[in-house]
């Protein structure tokens, strides 16, 4: 049995100055494994909705008569709406019953998915995909709910398992989207997703704990406006949140740089891969899902700093492999494995650290942190399609390498001068 230990947390000005291995004992049974698995599936399906488009980017752009250089705007719209949802919807998890909030947002997602599947033009598609992006933040409400239902000693593992569902959802989204696009067109992807979301929403409604641990009374009494404003105040009060949010922005800019543009070189000569084949590449990234679960356990043991440093160094290294795409595709696959592993290890570690800082504000902490994730993803999507149109795959690799190196340098600088990340 793996011994779980405590992440040292302090007051509002939480700092992490060294790795710790001080053991603690669980104070409550924590989250049951079947419910943890259901939460992971729900998170995966919700986040998958904003990643189905990646392997279909070129065929949707052609169907909607959109210029290829601007096709990344579809992903950018999704991510910007996701950021708005993080700011405006996720804080509600500290104010309203999470069972109703989660199932309600999932049911709205079902409606938006069906509307997107029936879109007949660029504007209607943008509106539909934007609504899907905004409602996909329900995954972060689920992460916060899972963390609050867990014992302190189990929190890192729980976040890791639930986040693994998100990672698997992201990866399988592109696999499924590629297969369904080749078999029955891109619209079928959103119809199938709507059906799966409906089933899981019903299961969550019936199996979510009747008596959930809610936010602190002071948070529950806040008005909606003050609740949203308090998210900004958390950035003022918590250095760990500010620093980890900036890291999220940089690593997900690198992540999005790869996955937004990968369809273009692989669907052209000399590869000329089908959408199914391109989507299957995501299976190589399942190492990221394994890293997500394991990184949560490392966070429980107090190894968050060494995990972050090693992962960020691997993120930089991954682009050196992917640079060799035209020499052999195996270089690309190796790079994908390393990149996904590195990004998810940092991501899970970051979430474990910030949720430990203020457990009673879990939804707002998660929402505030993920806003920067969304900004990074949107920036990576938009800049990578511009760069690919002008400089090809080499330009994309330079761009991703730059984002990754910036993340490593920022982490190193903050560790040396403030000791908070």
């Amino acid at each position: 049995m793996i011994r779980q230990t405590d992440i040292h947390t302090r007051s509002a000005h939480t700092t992490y100055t060294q790795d710790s291995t001080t053991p603690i004992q669980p104070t409550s049974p924590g989250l049951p494994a079947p419910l943890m698995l259901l939460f992971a599936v729900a998170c995966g399906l919700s986040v998958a909705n904003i990643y189905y488009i990646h392997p279909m980017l070129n065929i949707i752009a052609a169907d909607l008569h959109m210029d290829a250089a601007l096709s990344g705007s579809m992903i950018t719209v999704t991510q910007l709406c996701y950021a708005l949802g993080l700011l405006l919807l996720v804080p509600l998890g500290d104010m309203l019953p999470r069972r109703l909030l989660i199932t309600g947002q999932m049911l709205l997602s079902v409606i938006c998915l069906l509307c997107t599947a029936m879109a007949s033009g660029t504007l209607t598609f943008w509106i539909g995909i934007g609504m899907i992006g905004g409602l996909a933040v329900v995954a972060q409400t689920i992460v916060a709910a899972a963390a609050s239902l867990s014992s302190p000693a189990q929190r890192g593992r729980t976040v890791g398992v639930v986040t693994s569902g998100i990672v698997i959802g992201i990866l399988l989204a592109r696999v499924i989207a590629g297969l369904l696009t080749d078999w029955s067109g891109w619209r079928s992807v959103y119809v199938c997703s709507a059906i799966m979301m409906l089933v899981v929403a019903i299961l969550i409604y019936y199996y979510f704990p009747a008596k959930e641990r809610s936010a602190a009374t002071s948070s529950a009494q806040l008005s909606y406006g003050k609740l949203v404003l308090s998210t900004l105040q958390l950035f003022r009060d918590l250095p760990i949140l500010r620093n980890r949010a900036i890291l999220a922005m940089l690593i997900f800019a690198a992540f999005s740089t790869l996955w937004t543009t990968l369809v273009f070189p692989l669907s052209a000569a000399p590869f000329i891969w089908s959408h199914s084949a391109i989507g299957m590449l995501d299976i190589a990234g399942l190492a990221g899902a394994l890293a997500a679960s394991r990184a949560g356990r490392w966070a429980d043991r107090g190894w968050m700093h060494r995990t972050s440093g090693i992962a960020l160094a691997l993120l930089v290294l991954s682009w050196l492999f992917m640079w060799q795409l035209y020499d052999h595709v195996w270089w690309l696959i190796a790079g994908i494995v390393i990149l996904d592993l590195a990004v998810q290890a940092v991501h899970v570690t970051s979430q474990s650290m910030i949720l430990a800082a203020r457990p009673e504000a879990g939804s707002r902490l998660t929402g505030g942190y993920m806003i920067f994730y969304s900004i990074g993803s949107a920036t990576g999507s938009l800049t990578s399609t511009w760069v690919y149109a002008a400089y090809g795959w080499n330009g994309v690799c330079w761009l991703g390498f730059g984002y990754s190196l910036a993340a490593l340098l920022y982490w190193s600088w903050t560790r040396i001068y403030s000791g908070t990340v």
Side-chain angles (χ1 to χ4, degrees), residues 217-240:
T217 302
S218 58
S219 297
Q221 295 300 319
L222 290 175
S223 67
Y224 175 69
K226 290 182 179 179
L227 191 72
V228 172
L229 180 61
S230 69
T231 301
L232 304 178
Q233 293 171 337
L234 287 170
F235 278 96
R236 178 196 65 191
D237 295 340
L238 296 173
I240 191 67

Side-chain angles (χ1 to χ4, degrees), residues 361-380:
S363 291
R364 284 167 287 163
L365 285 170
T366 303
Y369 165 82
M370 291 297 295
I371 286 173
F372 282 76
Y373 151 91
S374 189
I375 292 171
S377 294
T379 302

Side-chain angles (χ1 to χ4, degrees), residues 257-266 271 281 318-328 331-333 335-336 384 387-400:
T257 293
L258 170 66
W259 290 111
T260 299
T261 55
L262 192 57
V263 64
F264 295 112
L266 292 179
F271 303 103
L281 274 178
S318 69
W319 290 100
L320 301 180
F321 286 87
M322 290 184 287
W323 235 310
Q324 311 301 316
L325 168 62
Y326 288 99
D327 290 338
H328 203 290
W331 287 111
L332 172 67
I333 293 174
I336 288 173
S384 62
V387 168
Y388 183 82
Y391 303 104
W393 181 249
N394 283 340
V396 169
C397 288
W398 273 111
L399 181 65

Side-chain angles (χ1 to χ4, degrees), residues 117-253:
M118 296 184 289
S120 58
T122 300
L123 180 60
T124 52
F125 183 83
W126 273 353
I127 293 173
I129 205 72
M131 293 293 291
I132 289 171
L135 291 167
V137 300
V138 68
Q140 305 311 319
T141 303
I142 295 171
V143 171
S148 71
L149 290 166
S150 301
S151 64
Q154 185 197 33
R155 186 177 294 120
R157 175 175 174 268
T158 298
V159 171
V161 170
V162 176
T163 305
S164 294
I166 294 177
V167 179
I168 294 172
I170 292 172
L171 298 175
L172 293 184
R174 289 187 282 258
V175 176
I176 293 170
L179 290 171
L180 287 177
T181 299
D182 285 342
W183 289 344
S184 54
W186 65 267
R187 297 176 190 275
S188 65
V189 175
Y190 294 105
V191 173
C192 290
S193 178
I195 295 171
M196 291 187 291
M197 287 284 289
L198 179 59
V199 172
V200 173
I202 294 171
L203 290 175
I204 286 186
Y205 181 81
Y206 280 104
Y207 290 105
F208 198 95
K211 186 177 180 181
E212 57 180 298
R213 299 177 203 169
S214 59
T217 302
S218 58
S219 297
Q221 295 300 319
L222 290 175
S223 67
Y224 175 69
K226 290 182 179 179
L227 191 72
V228 172
L229 180 61
S230 69
T231 301
L232 304 178
Q233 293 171 337
L234 287 170
F235 278 96
R236 178 196 65 191
D237 295 340
L238 296 173
I240 191 67
L241 176 59
R242 295 195 299 270
N243 291 328
R244 284 285 160 170
I246 292 173
L247 276 181
M249 180 178 66
L250 292 170
I251 65 173
F252 280 103

Side-chain angles (χ1 to χ4, degrees), residues 5-351:
T5 55
D6 185 31
I7 303 173
H8 289 285
T9 60
R10 296 193 177 93
S11 63
H13 298 282
T14 302
T15 58
Y16 294 79
T17 56
Q18 61 183 3
D19 290 340
S20 170
T21 57
T22 304
I24 67 169
Q25 296 299 322
T27 58
S28 64
L31 191 67
L35 187 57
M36 194 185 302
L37 178 60
L38 179 60
F39 282 166
V41 172
C43 283
L45 287 175
S46 299
V47 173
N49 288 330
I50 60 178
Y51 285 93
Y52 289 128
I53 194 172
H54 283 207
M56 308 187 297
L57 199 61
N58 59 341
I59 194 170
I60 293 176
D63 190 31
L64 300 178
H65 309 290
M66 184 183 299
D67 185 80
L70 295 177
S71 59
S73 64
M74 290 188 282
I75 297 176
T76 301
V77 167
T78 306
Q79 292 294 343
L80 290 178
C81 290
Y82 189 79
L84 285 175
L86 291 167
L87 179 64
L88 300 177
L89 296 180
V90 174
L92 290 173
D94 291 334
M95 183 180 184
L96 302 176
R98 285 172 174 158
R99 176 196 184 205
L100 296 179
L101 184 63
I102 290 169
T103 53
Q105 289 184 26
M106 292 184 73
L107 292 175
L108 286 175
S109 293
V110 171
I111 296 172
C112 293
L113 285 162
L114 294 175
C115 291
T116 301
M118 296 184 289
S120 58
T122 300
L123 180 60
T124 52
F125 183 83
W126 273 353
I127 293 173
I129 205 72
M131 293 293 291
I132 289 171
L135 291 167
V137 300
V138 68
Q140 305 311 319
T141 303
I142 295 171
V143 171
S148 71
L149 290 166
S150 301
S151 64
Q154 185 197 33
R155 186 177 294 120
R157 175 175 174 268
T158 298
V159 171
V161 170
V162 176
T163 305
S164 294
I166 294 177
V167 179
I168 294 172
I170 292 172
L171 298 175
L172 293 184
R174 289 187 282 258
V175 176
I176 293 170
L179 290 171
L180 287 177
T181 299
D182 285 342
W183 289 344
S184 54
W186 65 267
R187 297 176 190 275
S188 65
V189 175
Y190 294 105
V191 173
C192 290
S193 178
I195 295 171
M196 291 187 291
M197 287 284 289
L198 179 59
V199 172
V200 173
I202 294 171
L203 290 175
I204 286 186
Y205 181 81
Y206 280 104
Y207 290 105
F208 198 95
K211 186 177 180 181
E212 57 180 298
R213 299 177 203 169
S214 59
T217 302
S218 58
S219 297
Q221 295 300 319
L222 290 175
S223 67
Y224 175 69
K226 290 182 179 179
L227 191 72
V228 172
L229 180 61
S230 69
T231 301
L232 304 178
Q233 293 171 337
L234 287 170
F235 278 96
R236 178 196 65 191
D237 295 340
L238 296 173
I240 191 67
L241 176 59
R242 295 195 299 270
N243 291 328
R244 284 285 160 170
I246 292 173
L247 276 181
M249 180 178 66
L250 292 170
I251 65 173
F252 280 103
F255 183 87
S256 191
T257 293
L258 170 66
W259 290 111
T260 299
T261 55
L262 192 57
V263 64
F264 295 112
L266 292 179
S267 61
F271 303 103
I272 316 181
W273 285 16
S274 67
H275 291 88
S276 301
I278 295 171
M280 294 297 285
L281 274 178
D282 291 81
I283 294 177
L286 284 176
L290 298 176
S293 179
R294 182 58 58 183
R297 295 177 183 270
W298 292 335
D300 285 336
R301 289 173 174 238
W303 298 344
M304 46 275 190
H305 300 310
R306 68 187 73 175
T307 300
S308 298
I310 293 171
L312 289 169
L314 288 174
L315 183 61
V316 174
L317 178 65
S318 69
W319 290 100
L320 301 180
F321 286 87
M322 290 184 287
W323 235 310
Q324 311 301 316
L325 168 62
Y326 288 99
D327 290 338
H328 203 290
V329 74
W330 283 109
W331 287 111
L332 172 67
I333 293 174
I336 288 173
V337 171
I338 296 171
L339 181 139
D340 277 15
L341 186 151
V343 167
Q344 299 308 327
V346 176
H347 183 45
V348 171
T349 301
S350 295
Q351 288 189 303

